[in-house]
């Protein structure tokens, strides 16, 4: 193990020392740390999206610290340590890449995905967590990402639309049900349910077109931010706030922003 990794492990152990460590670090647990772990993963993603390599280096360090933190707590509990974590992922990567480590023939991207998924399924079966095709999809995932994983798992079992057009038809059907729920007196809960079905259908349609729904929505968010910012800037140039503008003004400025930001 490299000296820099050893140094990081020593620092984490010192921070967790019950007598001389940091009071905040000492009182943490797996459940209290996990929100920070998730946050750091998103910050890594943000640095990549921005193409900021200096920030990426720092954010990857922050994410590594989270792994070290969890491993230290597990070590204290007598469960496993950082070396066990590294050994386990090394073994898993070798097992999932027989075309690299077993010198097998080159394979296509489709075959690679098939090997990867079969290996993952074998792992879940060995763990006794494979009662159904959708078992093991983490519930803590963001809803959009989890929907994609559920849809992909189901598709591997043949449960998918026969063509993209059928998926789009399902989106239209779900949109009609949203309209019905909104116009009826069935209450907020039904409207929420129908909107959820519409969102799920849209994710399924994206998959039919080989579009990553998470990435598509991320780009849509960025586009909305840029357009909204241009509307705000235009109003500021006129000495106005958005709350002072009429709907007609906002619509005109928004359409102009749409022409400028595609």
């Amino acid at each position: 193990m490299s000296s820099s990794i050893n140094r990081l492990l020593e620092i984490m152990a010192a921070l967790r020392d019950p007598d001389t460590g940091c009071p905040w670090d000492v009182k943490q647990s797996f459940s209290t740390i996990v929100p920070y772990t998730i946050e750091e993963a998103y910050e890594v993603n943000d640095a990549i999206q921005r193409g900021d390599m200096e920030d990426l280096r720092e954010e990857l360090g922050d994410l590594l610290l989270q792994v070290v933190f969890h491993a230290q707590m597990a070590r204290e509990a007598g469960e496993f340590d950082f070396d066990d974590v590294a050994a386990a992922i090394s073994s898993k990567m070798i097992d999932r890449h027989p075309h690299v480590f077993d010198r097998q023939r080159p394979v296509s991207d489709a075959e690679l995905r098939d090997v990867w998924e079969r290996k993952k399924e074998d792992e879940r079966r060995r763990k006794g967590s494979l009662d159904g095709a959708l078992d093991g999809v983490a519930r803590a995932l963001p809803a959009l990402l989890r929907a994609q994983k559920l849809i992909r798992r189901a598709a591997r079992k043949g449960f998918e639309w026969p063509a993209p057009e059928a998926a789009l038809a399902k989106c239209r059907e779900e949109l009609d049900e949203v309209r019905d729920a909104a116009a009826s007196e069935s209450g907020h809960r039904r409207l929420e349910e129908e909107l959820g079905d519409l969102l799920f259908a849209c994710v399924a349609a994206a998959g039919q077109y080989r579009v990553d729904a998470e990435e598509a929505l991320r780009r849509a968010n960025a586009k909305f931010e840029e357009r909204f910012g241009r509307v705000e800037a235009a109003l500021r140039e006129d000495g106005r706030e958005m709350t002072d503008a009429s709907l007609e003004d906002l619509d005109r400025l928004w359409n102009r922003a749409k022409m400028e930001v595609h």
Side-chain angles (χ1 to χ4, degrees), residues 48-112:
I48 292 171
Q49 295 299 319
R50 290 184 285 106
D52 189 333
M53 291 298 103
E54 179 64 24
D55 197 28
L56 177 59
R57 179 188 62 79
E58 183 175 339
E59 296 300 345
L60 284 171
D62 291 343
L63 184 57
L64 176 59
L65 178 64
Q66 295 299 308
V67 177
V68 169
F69 206 140
H70 285 284
Q72 175 62 28
M73 290 187 290
R75 180 173 179 270
E76 293 164 4
E79 298 293 341
F80 57 83
D81 61 16
F82 183 85
D83 189 58
D84 295 323
V85 173
I89 190 60
S90 296
S91 176
K92 184 183 292 185
M93 289 301 98
I94 291 171
D95 184 58
R96 289 184 182 179
H97 295 82
H99 53 288
V100 174
F101 298 103
D102 288 346
R103 303 292 184 181
Q104 295 183 4
R105 64 178 178 82
V107 291
S108 68
D109 287 348
E111 290 175 307
L112 286 175

Side-chain angles (χ1 to χ4, degrees), residues 177-195:
E177 292 185 9
V178 169
R179 290 193 181 103
D180 290 343
S184 72
E185 297 181 357
S186 54
H188 179 79
R189 182 59 183 271
R190 186 197 162 201
L191 179 58
E192 178 185 64
E193 182 177 339
E194 298 299 349
L195 281 167

Side-chain angles (χ1 to χ4, degrees), residues 151 161 167 170-171 174 196-206:
I151 290 165
W161 298 111
K170 183 62 176 176
C171 291
E174 295 296 350
D197 290 345
L198 174 59
L199 290 170
F200 194 88
C202 288
V203 175

Side-chain angles (χ1 to χ4, degrees), residues 221-237:
N221 288 342
K223 186 165 57 178
F224 177 81
E225 287 179 297
E226 177 67 19
R227 290 173 175 175
F228 189 86
R230 288 176 182 247
V231 171
E232 283 186 311
L235 287 169
R236 281 196 297 268
E237 287 179 4

